[in-house]
Amino acid sequence: MTPATVFPSPPMRRTRWLVPAALILLSLVPVVAGAARLTDLTGGEITEDNARFFDSPIPVLIHIPAVTVYLLLGAFQFLPSLRRGKRGKPSWHRIAGRILVPTGLLAALSGLWMAVFYDLPPLDGPLLLVLRLVFGSAMVVFIVLGFIAVRHREYVRHSEWMSRAYAIGIAQGTIVVVTIPWILLVGPVDELTRALLIGASWVLSLAVAEYFIYRRAQGPARPSRISARAAH
């Protein structure tokens, strides 16, 4: 083992922050939109676009804070240095995980509730509703599977399932990356195009997650004792 492996150089340490930084940048899209929605609910006027939120505010009041915490806090779970805890003490990764599981479930379940019971806004048709139900349900399943895996000390499986769940959540930011080029090159979206673009955002996010899961699986195998210590 070389000294550079034990003590990463500053450029290497900075590189490790690129993934959390990119995730936080993507998170700003739904976080800022959610903050604007909360401001609208607390002091804005009722319009045709937001009337459904005033009629039933509790789900959206749960959804926005849960999504904000899940996306911003979850971004730091991909930083390797935070996975290592001191002997006899839980790591930051584990402590944050105790917050991320309930907030992730609240975000997904409240989103499913709104998809089913809120009136469909303009440009949100049946296809987009089905996609939201599919991916929202998948997010719940992935978080539950990740929780079960860590309870059985299957830390690699835990990481894989939680990465997939986070990919679905962060797709609200990926939508901007997918939609803006389409609008600039093609023009405004209609109901079908909007559904397909949002669906493509979920698929793209999951594809990126699967790529990194595959890369980790192809890396050098580590002793199980190290893996267990890192998860705790």
Side-chain angles (χ1 to χ4, degrees), residues 63-83:
H63 183 75
I64 293 173
V67 166
T68 300
V69 172
Y70 181 74
L71 293 182
L72 294 180
L73 188 62
F76 294 96
Q77 295 295 77
F78 297 92
L79 193 63
S81 61
L82 296 181
R83 295 176 179 270

Side-chain angles (χ1 to χ4, degrees), residues 107-125:
L109 292 172
S110 59
L112 288 170
W113 196 100
M114 291 188 292
V116 173
F117 294 104
Y118 279 178
D119 294 333
L120 292 177
L123 296 181
D124 280 20

Side-chain angles (χ1 to χ4, degrees), residues 106-202:
L106 282 173
L109 292 172
S110 59
L112 288 170
W113 196 100
M114 291 188 292
V116 173
F117 294 104
Y118 279 178
D119 294 333
L120 292 177
L123 296 181
D124 280 20
L127 176 58
L128 183 53
L129 173 60
V130 171
L131 290 174
R132 283 186 170 137
L133 294 178
V134 169
F135 285 101
S137 299
M139 182 174 171
V140 173
V141 172
F142 293 163
I143 292 174
V144 172
L145 289 175
F147 177 77
I148 293 173
V150 78
R151 296 294 293 178
H152 289 109
R153 298 182 180 274
E154 297 175 353
Y155 300 114
V156 174
R157 294 295 183 190
H158 164 75
S159 176
E160 293 173 353
W161 288 122
M162 289 306 188
S163 295
R164 293 178 180 119
Y166 188 85
I168 293 177
I170 201 70
Q172 294 302 312
T174 312
I175 289 173
V176 175
V177 178
V178 173
T179 303
I180 288 181
W182 177 277
I183 294 175
L184 293 176
L185 296 174
V186 180
V189 300
D190 55 19
E191 181 180 302
L192 176 60
T193 304
R194 173 175 161 79
L196 293 177
L197 289 174
I198 293 178
S201 302
W202 276 311

Side-chain angles (χ1 to χ4, degrees), residues 83-126:
R83 295 176 179 270
R84 297 185 292 271
K86 296 181 179 179
R87 184 180 297 274
K89 295 183 179 180
S91 65
W92 188 95
H93 181 90
R94 187 178 184 184
I95 295 172
R98 295 171 178 171
I99 301 172
L100 290 168
V101 169
T103 54
L105 289 174
L106 282 173
L109 292 172
S110 59
L112 288 170
W113 196 100
M114 291 188 292
V116 173
F117 294 104
Y118 279 178
D119 294 333
L120 292 177
L123 296 181
D124 280 20

